Short mmCIF file of all heavy atoms in Angstrom, two decimals:
data_model
loop_
_atom_site.label_atom_id
_atom_site.label_comp_id
_atom_site.label_asym_id
_atom_site.label_seq_id
_atom_site.Cartn_x
_atom_site.Cartn_y
_atom_site.Cartn_z
N THR B 566 -4.69 -13.16 -0.57
CA THR B 566 -3.75 -12.57 -1.52
C THR B 566 -2.32 -12.94 -1.15
O THR B 566 -1.51 -13.24 -2.01
CB THR B 566 -3.95 -11.05 -1.56
OG1 THR B 566 -5.30 -10.81 -1.94
CG2 THR B 566 -3.01 -10.40 -2.55
N SER B 567 -2.03 -12.91 0.14
CA SER B 567 -0.70 -13.32 0.57
C SER B 567 -0.85 -14.39 1.64
O SER B 567 -1.27 -14.11 2.75
CB SER B 567 0.09 -12.14 1.11
OG SER B 567 1.37 -12.58 1.48
N SER B 568 -0.52 -15.62 1.29
CA SER B 568 -1.00 -16.76 2.07
C SER B 568 0.09 -17.67 2.62
O SER B 568 -0.21 -18.54 3.42
CB SER B 568 -1.94 -17.57 1.18
OG SER B 568 -1.38 -17.66 -0.12
N ALA B 569 1.31 -17.51 2.17
CA ALA B 569 2.37 -18.38 2.70
C ALA B 569 3.68 -17.61 2.67
O ALA B 569 3.85 -16.68 1.88
CB ALA B 569 2.48 -19.66 1.88
N ARG B 570 4.61 -18.02 3.53
CA ARG B 570 5.85 -17.26 3.65
C ARG B 570 7.04 -18.14 3.99
O ARG B 570 6.89 -19.23 4.54
CB ARG B 570 5.68 -16.20 4.74
CG ARG B 570 5.34 -16.79 6.11
CD ARG B 570 4.90 -15.73 7.11
NE ARG B 570 5.99 -14.92 7.57
CZ ARG B 570 6.08 -13.60 7.39
NH1 ARG B 570 5.11 -12.94 6.78
NH2 ARG B 570 7.11 -12.93 7.82
N LEU B 571 8.22 -17.61 3.69
CA LEU B 571 9.47 -18.20 4.15
C LEU B 571 10.13 -17.14 5.02
O LEU B 571 10.40 -16.03 4.55
CB LEU B 571 10.38 -18.54 2.97
CG LEU B 571 11.75 -19.12 3.38
CD1 LEU B 571 11.64 -20.63 3.61
CD2 LEU B 571 12.81 -18.84 2.33
N ASP B 572 10.38 -17.48 6.28
CA ASP B 572 11.07 -16.54 7.17
C ASP B 572 12.55 -16.84 7.13
O ASP B 572 12.95 -18.01 7.17
CB ASP B 572 10.55 -16.69 8.60
CG ASP B 572 9.09 -16.30 8.72
OD1 ASP B 572 8.80 -15.10 8.60
OD2 ASP B 572 8.23 -17.19 8.91
N TYR B 573 13.34 -15.82 7.08
CA TYR B 573 14.79 -16.00 6.99
C TYR B 573 15.47 -14.96 7.86
O TYR B 573 15.98 -13.95 7.37
CB TYR B 573 15.23 -15.84 5.52
CG TYR B 573 16.51 -16.57 5.17
CD1 TYR B 573 16.51 -17.56 4.19
CD2 TYR B 573 17.71 -16.28 5.81
CE1 TYR B 573 17.67 -18.24 3.85
CE2 TYR B 573 18.87 -16.95 5.49
CZ TYR B 573 18.85 -17.93 4.51
OH TYR B 573 20.00 -18.60 4.19
N PRO B 574 15.49 -15.21 9.19
CA PRO B 574 16.12 -14.24 10.08
C PRO B 574 17.54 -13.95 9.61
O PRO B 574 18.27 -14.87 9.25
CB PRO B 574 16.11 -14.93 11.44
CG PRO B 574 14.98 -15.91 11.36
CD PRO B 574 14.93 -16.35 9.92
N GLY B 575 17.91 -12.69 9.61
CA GLY B 575 19.22 -12.28 9.10
C GLY B 575 19.13 -11.68 7.71
O GLY B 575 19.91 -10.81 7.35
N LEU B 576 18.15 -12.15 6.93
CA LEU B 576 17.96 -11.58 5.59
C LEU B 576 16.61 -10.87 5.45
O LEU B 576 16.52 -9.79 4.86
CB LEU B 576 18.04 -12.67 4.50
CG LEU B 576 19.38 -13.35 4.25
CD1 LEU B 576 19.24 -14.36 3.12
CD2 LEU B 576 20.47 -12.33 3.93
N GLY B 577 15.57 -11.48 6.00
CA GLY B 577 14.23 -10.91 5.85
C GLY B 577 13.23 -12.01 5.61
O GLY B 577 13.22 -13.01 6.34
N MET B 578 12.44 -11.89 4.58
CA MET B 578 11.44 -12.92 4.31
C MET B 578 11.00 -12.90 2.86
O MET B 578 11.31 -11.99 2.10
CB MET B 578 10.22 -12.71 5.21
CG MET B 578 9.52 -11.40 4.90
SD MET B 578 7.95 -11.34 5.73
CE MET B 578 7.12 -10.06 4.85
#
Side-chain angles (χ1 to χ4, degrees):
Chain B
T566 301
S567 181
S568 42
R570 59 192 287 118
L571 178 85
D572 295 290
Y573 206 120
L576 292 181
M578 64 169 198

